């Protein structure tokens, strides 16, 4: 039997009370009459039953789950939370995007290696645990950005210049290593005061917005005072972003790209993709479009199962 839209039960894993989580839950409720915002920190998985519950709701009985946010900040703990959702998926619940694909993105190293293997242009990058090799990278690149392997919105990132003495650079590198236990070193590029977020839903390009810096920070993130604006990237940039996101099987994502003197470069593919840039920069309701995509995908699968029932 094919469920009517109003009978579908679609949950949202996110941060209760946060705009992006609640706007997605609002769209689901408006289209299905069902609302379930799931705080992953309070989920209980009993693998012997097996059940995964949140506030009395068994997540394994939902039709689908959309992962909007897994944590306020990224850390290795995020991987464990995604493993719980991977188990929910094994119970027959459709999860958007697939936890196994998100796992490949929340770790900056995994994302970078995947993009490099696909020959996606990126800033020059050195990854090492050797402090002397890290020093050489700083001196070779001139000015670098040290990036934690788990972070969002430029949190924890640090700029180091080769114009400092070797002793000062080594001290800064050691302080970074003491906290993060790994060096991810990327050459700092001269950017035109903005970078772009290209939006993809089901692998299809939807549009792009710019994050415009406030002139007071080295990065353009909204967290650091940047603002959203409309942007019209050329076909080369759109094709690059499409190829970058195609390395991961994601339902919804944004690809961060910036233009440089040597051509466009890709910084990352987002594990989750935001809605605010699309709304404020383009006037697009991507939360609503995402829910429509999920409902259509669920209906298509139900129809396929009705025509070709499992033995």
């Amino acid at each position: 039997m094919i469920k009517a839209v109003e009978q579908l039960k679609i949950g949202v894993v996110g941060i209760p009370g946060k705009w992006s989580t609640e706007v997605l839950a609002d769209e689901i409720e408006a289209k299905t009459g069902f609302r379930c915002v799931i705080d992953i920190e309070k989920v209980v998985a009993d693998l012997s039953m097996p059940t995964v519950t949140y506030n009395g709701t068994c997540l394994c009985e939902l039709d689908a789950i959309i992962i909007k946010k897994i944590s306020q900040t990224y850390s290795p703990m995020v991987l464990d939370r995604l493993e719980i959702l991977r188990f929910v998926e094994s119970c027959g619940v459709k999860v958007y995007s697939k936890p196994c694909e998100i796992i490949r993105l929340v770790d900056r190293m995994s994302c970078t290696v995947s993009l490099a293997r696909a020959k996606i242009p990126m800033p020059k990058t050195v990854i090492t645990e050797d402090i002397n090799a890290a020093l050489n990278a700083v001196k070779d690149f001139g000015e670098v950005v040290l990036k934690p392997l788990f972070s969002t919105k430029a949190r924890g990132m640090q700029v180091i210049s080769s114009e400092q003495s070797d002793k000062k650079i080594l001290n800064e590198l050691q302080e970074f290593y003491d906290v993060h236990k790994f060096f991810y070193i990327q050459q700092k590029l001269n950017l035109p005061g903005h970078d772009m977020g290209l939006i993809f839903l089901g692998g299809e390009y939807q549009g792009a917005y710019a994050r415009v810096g406030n002139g007071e920070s080295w990065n353009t993130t909204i967290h650091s005072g940047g603002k959203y604006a409309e942007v019209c990237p050329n076909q080369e940039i759109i094709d690059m972003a499409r190829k970058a996101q195609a390395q991961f099987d994601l339902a919804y994502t944004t690809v961060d790209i910036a233009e440089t003197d040597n051509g466009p470069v890709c910084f990352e593919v987002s594990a989750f993709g935001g809605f605010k840039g699309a709304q404020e920069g383009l006037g697009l309701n991507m939360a609503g479009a995402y829910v429509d995509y999920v409902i259509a995908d669920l209906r298509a699968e139900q129809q396929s199962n009705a025509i070709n029932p499992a033995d």
Side-chain angles (χ1 to χ4, degrees):
M1 179 181 176
I2 299 174
K3 285 187 177 182
V5 170
E6 61 270 16
Q7 294 176 321
L8 290 173
K9 294 184 177 181
I10 304 171
V12 177
V13 169
I15 311 297
K18 288 294 184 178
W19 179 83
S20 61
T21 297
E22 297 297 339
V23 75
L24 188 57
D26 288 345
E27 291 289 346
I28 294 171
E29 185 175 21
K31 297 174 192 298
T32 70
F34 181 80
R35 188 186 192 93
C36 180
V37 175
I38 302 159
D39 183 349
I40 195 68
E41 292 184 25
K42 298 179 180 179
V43 166
V44 178
D46 186 339
L47 306 188
S48 62
M49 292 295 292
T51 58
V52 181
T53 57
Y54 171 70
N55 280 356
T57 298
C58 181
L59 305 189
C60 296
E61 295 176 358
L62 298 178
D63 294 295
I65 289 174
I66 301 176
I67 307 175
K68 183 63 203 77
K69 203 74 173 176
I70 205 74
S71 175
Q72 290 274 28
T73 58
Y74 285 6
S75 72
M77 178 176 58
V78 168
L79 303 180
D80 298 321
R81 294 176 176 176
L82 287 165
E83 286 296 341
I84 292 176
L85 294 174
R86 198 162 70 92
F87 180 76
V88 173
E89 186 180 42
S90 75
C91 296
V93 180
K94 294 274 286 186
V95 181
Y96 302 83
S97 294
K98 297 176 182 177
C100 63
E101 296 298 315
I102 295 177
I103 286 172
R104 297 174 57 209
L105 286 167
V106 294
D107 181 342
R108 180 169 277 109
M109 172 100 67
S110 176
C111 178
T112 300
V113 168
S114 296
L115 294 176
R117 284 170 56 91
K119 302 189 186 314
I120 304 295
M122 292 182 292
K124 291 181 180 179
T125 304
V126 167
I127 303 168
T128 183
E129 295 179 67
D130 187 305
I131 193 168
N132 291 315
L135 173 63
N136 291 335
V138 174
K139 295 169 74 172
D140 183 40
F141 291 165
E143 192 171 25
V144 306
V145 182
L146 293 179
K147 298 184 176 183
L149 295 183
F150 295 89
S151 73
T152 59
K153 304 185 187 304
R155 293 185 180 95
M157 295 185 185
Q158 180 179 342
V159 176
I160 297 182
S161 172
S162 63
E163 294 181 358
Q164 304 172 104
S165 67
D166 286 5
K167 181 179 179 181
K168 183 168 177 56
I169 294 172
L170 284 169
N171 285 339
E172 292 187 29
L173 288 171
Q174 187 63 56
E175 289 176 2
F176 184 87
Y177 182 83
D178 289 343
V179 175
H180 301 290
K181 307 303 181 186
F182 224 105
F183 296 115
Y184 180 107
I185 306 166
Q186 209 159 60
Q187 185 177 39
K188 186 174 180 294
L189 302 176
N190 292 320
L191 304 181
H194 72 271
D195 64 354
M196 294 173 278
L198 281 78
I199 308 162
F200 289 85
L201 178 61
E204 298 297 325
Y205 175 64
Q206 305 294 308
Y209 56 86
R211 283 175 293 255
V212 183
N214 64 1
E216 298 177 2
S217 174
W218 65 269
N219 69 76
T220 61
T221 64
I222 305 305
H223 179 71
S224 297
K227 295 183 179 180
Y228 294 117
E230 185 175 3
V231 69
C232 297
N234 61 36
Q235 193 61 46
E236 177 191 5
I237 291 174
I238 294 172
D239 291 343
M240 177 193 294
R242 180 178 287 110
K243 183 178 179 182
Q245 62 86 37
Q247 306 310 307
F248 312 93
D249 187 8
L250 301 168
Y252 180 71
T253 189
T254 52
V255 182
D256 291 348
I257 288 182
E259 297 174 282
T260 74
D261 293 339
N262 296 318
V265 295
C266 179
F267 286 113
E268 68 175 6
V269 176
S270 172
F272 306 104
F275 300 140
K276 189 158 284 187
Q279 177 172 298
E280 295 185 3
L282 300 172
L284 293 179
N285 177 11
M286 289 311 302
Y290 194 1
V291 174
D292 288 339
Y293 169 84
V294 169
I295 290 173
D297 190 59
L298 290 172
R299 294 293 298 274
E301 183 170 280
Q302 290 172 354
Q303 290 172 348
S304 177
N305 291 338
I307 295 172
N308 303 296
D311 293 334

